[in-house]
Amino acid sequence: MTEMERNMESETSITYEYGRNLYINLTNQCPNSCDFCLRNNSSGSLYAKNLWYREKEPAKEEIWEELQKKDLNSYNEIVFCGYGEPACRWDDMMWLCDRIKEHGSHFIRINTNGLANLITGRRAALELDGRVDAVSVSLNASTPEGYDAVCHSKFGLEAFSEILKFTGTAVLNVPHVRMTVVSTMPQKEIEACKRVCERIGADFHVREYISK
């Protein structure tokens, strides 16, 4: 049996730890197919043996039950970030944020592609107020055409402008908002992305590309 097959046979991780943070693997769904995504190159992950849900994804109640087994006070951040786009289960994520906040002033971060408005059909970032402390949005291009070429979103050229709308609204409703790009991008494009980010009012971060 190959490493890939062994990983796929192992129990799927609903949560996993990295550093002082607890990560929630909410879904495997994603409207994008980014060139640099580990989903395209690996069956495992960097920090958990298996993040793929083979049959069905856990209900929000199952995820909350798993979280209740943890000492949430021991983590710096609770982060929605798995092998898919958490906004694909937006309502479940908001429900979980409410449960988490009801049990303490825990710092909640969402790592997202910023396409929640298109996924939900509403101004999703307005719903983050009071629920989420930080949002990290993957930008990865400075133009609609560049984004489509790299991220291959099912929403096509419309995706880029909607990411900017979502992030701009999040800046007004969430204490900490940043946009990120991958370090393997050309420096000229990184600088162009930084200018896009600055116009919106979000912080800018270059994340190191990690391959497995």
Side-chain angles (χ1 to χ4, degrees), residues 30-43:
C30 186
N32 289 359
S33 181
C34 300
D35 290 342
F36 51 80
C37 184
L38 274 174
R39 290 161 54 96
N40 298 326
N41 304 307
S42 172
S43 66

PDB file of all heavy atoms in Angstrom, residues 30-43:
ATOM      1  N   CYS A  30     -14.654  23.144  -2.462  1.00  0.00           N
ATOM      2  CA  CYS A  30     -14.014  24.411  -2.822  1.00  0.00           C
ATOM      3  C   CYS A  30     -14.394  24.767  -4.255  1.00  0.00           C
ATOM      4  O   CYS A  30     -14.365  23.900  -5.135  1.00  0.00           O
ATOM      5  CB  CYS A  30     -12.491  24.326  -2.696  1.00  0.00           C
ATOM      6  SG  CYS A  30     -11.671  25.933  -2.965  1.00  0.00           S
ATOM      7  N   PRO A  31     -14.736  26.031  -4.516  1.00  0.00           N
ATOM      8  CA  PRO A  31     -15.075  26.438  -5.882  1.00  0.00           C
ATOM      9  C   PRO A  31     -13.850  26.707  -6.750  1.00  0.00           C
ATOM     10  O   PRO A  31     -13.993  26.985  -7.936  1.00  0.00           O
ATOM     11  CB  PRO A  31     -15.879  27.723  -5.666  1.00  0.00           C
ATOM     12  CG  PRO A  31     -15.317  28.297  -4.411  1.00  0.00           C
ATOM     13  CD  PRO A  31     -14.966  27.118  -3.539  1.00  0.00           C
ATOM     14  N   ASN A  32     -12.671  26.646  -6.164  1.00  0.00           N
ATOM     15  CA  ASN A  32     -11.428  26.900  -6.901  1.00  0.00           C
ATOM     16  C   ASN A  32     -10.613  25.624  -7.068  1.00  0.00           C
ATOM     17  O   ASN A  32     -10.801  24.644  -6.338  1.00  0.00           O
ATOM     18  CB  ASN A  32     -10.563  27.925  -6.175  1.00  0.00           C
ATOM     19  CG  ASN A  32     -11.136  29.331  -6.240  1.00  0.00           C
ATOM     20  OD1 ASN A  32     -12.189  29.559  -6.841  1.00  0.00           O
ATOM     21  ND2 ASN A  32     -10.455  30.278  -5.626  1.00  0.00           N
ATOM     22  N   SER A  33      -9.680  25.685  -8.009  1.00  0.00           N
ATOM     23  CA  SER A  33      -8.702  24.610  -8.182  1.00  0.00           C
ATOM     24  C   SER A  33      -7.347  25.260  -8.430  1.00  0.00           C
ATOM     25  O   SER A  33      -6.822  25.252  -9.545  1.00  0.00           O
ATOM     26  CB  SER A  33      -9.085  23.699  -9.349  1.00  0.00           C
ATOM     27  OG  SER A  33      -8.152  22.641  -9.490  1.00  0.00           O
ATOM     28  N   CYS A  34      -6.786  25.817  -7.368  1.00  0.00           N
ATOM     29  CA  CYS A  34      -5.571  26.631  -7.484  1.00  0.00           C
ATOM     30  C   CYS A  34      -4.358  25.781  -7.851  1.00  0.00           C
ATOM     31  O   CYS A  34      -4.201  24.656  -7.360  1.00  0.00           O
ATOM     32  CB  CYS A  34      -5.311  27.374  -6.176  1.00  0.00           C
ATOM     33  SG  CYS A  34      -6.652  28.495  -5.695  1.00  0.00           S
ATOM     34  N   ASP A  35      -3.498  26.343  -8.683  1.00  0.00           N
ATOM     35  CA  ASP A  35      -2.316  25.622  -9.156  1.00  0.00           C
ATOM     36  C   ASP A  35      -1.432  25.163  -8.007  1.00  0.00           C
ATOM     37  O   ASP A  35      -0.808  24.100  -8.081  1.00  0.00           O
ATOM     38  CB  ASP A  35      -1.499  26.507 -10.101  1.00  0.00           C
ATOM     39  CG  ASP A  35      -2.186  26.743 -11.425  1.00  0.00           C
ATOM     40  OD1 ASP A  35      -3.106  25.971 -11.768  1.00  0.00           O
ATOM     41  OD2 ASP A  35      -1.814  27.703 -12.123  1.00  0.00           O
ATOM     42  N   PHE A  36      -1.331  25.984  -6.958  1.00  0.00           N
ATOM     43  CA  PHE A  36      -0.390  25.724  -5.870  1.00  0.00           C
ATOM     44  C   PHE A  36      -1.009  24.948  -4.707  1.00  0.00           C
ATOM     45  O   PHE A  36      -0.328  24.672  -3.719  1.00  0.00           O
ATOM     46  CB  PHE A  36       0.152  27.058  -5.330  1.00  0.00           C
ATOM     47  CG  PHE A  36      -0.936  28.038  -4.998  1.00  0.00           C
ATOM     48  CD1 PHE A  36      -1.631  27.951  -3.810  1.00  0.00           C
ATOM     49  CD2 PHE A  36      -1.275  29.027  -5.901  1.00  0.00           C
ATOM     50  CE1 PHE A  36      -2.647  28.841  -3.521  1.00  0.00           C
ATOM     51  CE2 PHE A  36      -2.281  29.928  -5.618  1.00  0.00           C
ATOM     52  CZ  PHE A  36      -2.973  29.835  -4.420  1.00  0.00           C
ATOM     53  N   CYS A  37      -2.275  24.567  -4.806  1.00  0.00           N
ATOM     54  CA  CYS A  37      -2.963  23.956  -3.667  1.00  0.00           C
ATOM     55  C   CYS A  37      -2.474  22.537  -3.415  1.00  0.00           C
ATOM     56  O   CYS A  37      -2.320  21.737  -4.336  1.00  0.00           O
ATOM     57  CB  CYS A  37      -4.469  23.953  -3.916  1.00  0.00           C
ATOM     58  SG  CYS A  37      -5.428  23.320  -2.522  1.00  0.00           S
ATOM     59  N   LEU A  38      -2.270  22.219  -2.137  1.00  0.00           N
ATOM     60  CA  LEU A  38      -1.859  20.868  -1.767  1.00  0.00           C
ATOM     61  C   LEU A  38      -2.895  19.824  -2.151  1.00  0.00           C
ATOM     62  O   LEU A  38      -2.576  18.646  -2.326  1.00  0.00           O
ATOM     63  CB  LEU A  38      -1.611  20.795  -0.256  1.00  0.00           C
ATOM     64  CG  LEU A  38      -0.225  21.195   0.249  1.00  0.00           C
ATOM     65  CD1 LEU A  38      -0.210  21.195   1.769  1.00  0.00           C
ATOM     66  CD2 LEU A  38       0.839  20.270  -0.291  1.00  0.00           C
ATOM     67  N   ARG A  39      -4.156  20.243  -2.281  1.00  0.00           N
ATOM     68  CA  ARG A  39      -5.212  19.305  -2.677  1.00  0.00           C
ATOM     69  C   ARG A  39      -4.888  18.642  -4.009  1.00  0.00           C
ATOM     70  O   ARG A  39      -5.283  17.508  -4.271  1.00  0.00           O
ATOM     71  CB  ARG A  39      -6.540  20.042  -2.811  1.00  0.00           C
ATOM     72  CG  ARG A  39      -7.160  20.519  -1.535  1.00  0.00           C
ATOM     73  CD  ARG A  39      -8.191  21.608  -1.819  1.00  0.00           C
ATOM     74  NE  ARG A  39      -9.187  21.184  -2.780  1.00  0.00           N
ATOM     75  CZ  ARG A  39     -10.370  20.683  -2.452  1.00  0.00           C
ATOM     76  NH1 ARG A  39     -10.690  20.546  -1.181  1.00  0.00           N
ATOM     77  NH2 ARG A  39     -11.233  20.336  -3.371  1.00  0.00           N
ATOM     78  N   ASN A  40      -4.153  19.358  -4.862  1.00  0.00           N
ATOM     79  CA  ASN A  40      -3.827  18.835  -6.187  1.00  0.00           C
ATOM     80  C   ASN A  40      -2.597  17.934  -6.198  1.00  0.00           C
ATOM     81  O   ASN A  40      -2.306  17.298  -7.200  1.00  0.00           O
ATOM     82  CB  ASN A  40      -3.589  19.991  -7.155  1.00  0.00           C
ATOM     83  CG  ASN A  40      -4.826  20.850  -7.329  1.00  0.00           C
ATOM     84  OD1 ASN A  40      -5.939  20.346  -7.301  1.00  0.00           O
ATOM     85  ND2 ASN A  40      -4.630  22.149  -7.496  1.00  0.00           N
ATOM     86  N   ASN A  41      -1.890  17.901  -5.066  1.00  0.00           N
ATOM     87  CA  ASN A  41      -0.604  17.210  -5.058  1.00  0.00           C
ATOM     88  C   ASN A  41      -0.437  16.178  -3.950  1.00  0.00           C
ATOM     89  O   ASN A  41       0.571  15.500  -3.887  1.00  0.00           O
ATOM     90  CB  ASN A  41       0.523  18.249  -4.909  1.00  0.00           C
ATOM     91  CG  ASN A  41       0.473  19.307  -5.986  1.00  0.00           C
ATOM     92  OD1 ASN A  41       0.440  18.984  -7.165  1.00  0.00           O
ATOM     93  ND2 ASN A  41       0.430  20.569  -5.582  1.00  0.00           N
ATOM     94  N   SER A  42      -1.417  16.070  -3.062  1.00  0.00           N
ATOM     95  CA  SER A  42      -1.217  15.205  -1.908  1.00  0.00           C
ATOM     96  C   SER A  42      -2.547  14.742  -1.357  1.00  0.00           C
ATOM     97  O   SER A  42      -3.545  15.443  -1.423  1.00  0.00           O
ATOM     98  CB  SER A  42      -0.456  15.954  -0.803  1.00  0.00           C
ATOM     99  OG  SER A  42      -0.419  15.203   0.379  1.00  0.00           O
ATOM    100  N   SER A  43      -2.573  13.560  -0.762  1.00  0.00           N
ATOM    101  CA  SER A  43      -3.790  13.064  -0.124  1.00  0.00           C
ATOM    102  C   SER A  43      -3.776  13.328   1.368  1.00  0.00           C
ATOM    103  O   SER A  43      -4.789  13.206   2.029  1.00  0.00           O
ATOM    104  CB  SER A  43      -3.933  11.552  -0.370  1.00  0.00           C
ATOM    105  OG  SER A  43      -2.883  10.866   0.290  1.00  0.00           O
TER     106      SER A  43
END
